[in-house]
Amino acid sequence: MTKEVVANTSEIAAWFSPALIIPAIGLLLASVVVPLLLHYLKGRRDKKDKIFEIRTKVYTEYFKTFEEAAKGIGEDYEKFSKVTFKDAFLKLLESESSPEAIVEFQGVVGDFPSKIQDSHRKATEQTTTLKILGSKKLYDLTKEFEVLNQEILEMSSEWLAELNQSLVMPDFEAPIALKMKEKGLRARDLKDEIIDQMRAELNHD
């Protein structure tokens, strides 16, 4: 009985000897674990490459959008209130309200509000994809850019009323125009920050 136990123990020990265990573990790793690991890593790499490809396409489309939106709101509203608008009105008076002068004056006055509305549209429409695919920092920058555009749009009606005051008050300081100018300059800076962040996320730097 004792001999049989010893024999069985020796047989079991032989199965767990390093000479058998190490090759078995190696075979298991090579045939099961390594393929699973490679499949997992390939899946992660493919997903990362796909996201990068989509980001490249989306970001490239928005480069121009933010450039144009910032250009439209980066106007000098203060100069327009104090100089451009008054010059156009004076020209209208001197022409005794000729049809040509009226059309020109309407064009001058209507141009700025149109730019503000166009910039707001470009800054806010179809940015959902950008916010989803971008980083948290890019999302925050884009959101701030939209808020600035919204604030400038909301202030534009007050600004137009302020223009009328500037006609009867030569030394009028145009405070709303000054605030709009400051917001426009900040929006231009934000545009550069947004584009720089996009470039960084696309590894262009």
Side-chain angles (χ1 to χ4, degrees), residues 58-74:
V58 171
Y59 288 10
T60 302
E61 291 174 357
Y62 279 104
F63 283 149
K64 187 175 181 180
T65 297
F66 282 103
E67 286 280 6
E68 292 178 349
K71 181 180 179 181
I73 62 172

Side-chain angles (χ1 to χ4, degrees), residues 47-58 202:
K47 181 180 179 181
K48 184 178 179 181
D49 290 345
K50 187 64 177 176
I51 291 175
F52 182 80
E53 179 184 341
I54 296 173
R55 274 186 174 179
T56 301
K57 181 179 178 181
V58 171
L202 295 178

Side-chain angles (χ1 to χ4, degrees), residues 84-96:
T84 308
F85 178 70
K86 290 181 180 179
D87 287 348
F89 186 71
L90 180 61
K91 188 175 181 180
L92 177 65
L93 293 178
E94 291 174 346
S95 70
E96 296 182 352

Side-chain angles (χ1 to χ4, degrees), residues 64-195:
K64 187 175 181 180
T65 297
F66 282 103
E67 286 280 6
E68 292 178 349
K71 181 180 179 181
I73 62 172
E75 303 288 349
D76 193 339
Y77 304 101
E78 187 181 21
K79 180 181 178 181
F80 182 87
S81 298
K82 294 182 177 181
V83 180
T84 308
F85 178 70
K86 290 181 180 179
D87 287 348
F89 186 71
L90 180 61
K91 188 175 181 180
L92 177 65
L93 293 178
E94 291 174 346
S95 70
E96 296 182 352
S97 300
S98 68
E100 294 81 6
I102 291 174
V103 171
E104 184 178 346
F105 181 75
Q106 289 175 336
V108 169
V109 175
D111 187 45
F112 264 56
S114 176
K115 286 182 178 179
I116 294 171
Q117 291 176 346
D118 189 51
S119 295
H120 180 265
R121 178 183 58 78
K122 289 175 180 175
T124 56
E125 71 176 10
Q126 299 179 351
T127 58
T128 304
T129 306
L130 181 66
K131 292 175 182 176
I132 292 174
L133 291 175
S135 63
K136 177 65 167 58
K137 182 177 180 180
L138 184 58
Y139 174 87
D140 291 339
L141 290 172
T142 305
K143 190 66 178 175
E144 185 180 351
F145 189 79
E146 289 182 358
V147 170
L148 276 173
N149 274 269
Q150 181 65 36
E151 290 175 347
I152 291 174
L153 180 65
E154 292 172 353
M155 293 173 70
S156 63
S157 59
E158 298 178 64
W159 174 56
L160 292 175
E162 185 178 75
L163 288 177
N164 293 327
Q165 291 180 267
S166 68
L167 291 176
V168 296
M169 300 172 62
D171 298 326
F172 189 63
E173 291 299 322
I176 296 174
L178 180 59
K179 290 180 181 178
M180 290 174 69
K181 177 184 176 182
E182 291 173 351
K183 290 182 183 293
L185 291 174
R186 172 56 186 152
R188 279 191 169 183
D189 290 341
L190 265 176
K191 177 264 298 182
D192 291 336
E193 291 180 40
I194 289 170
I195 292 177

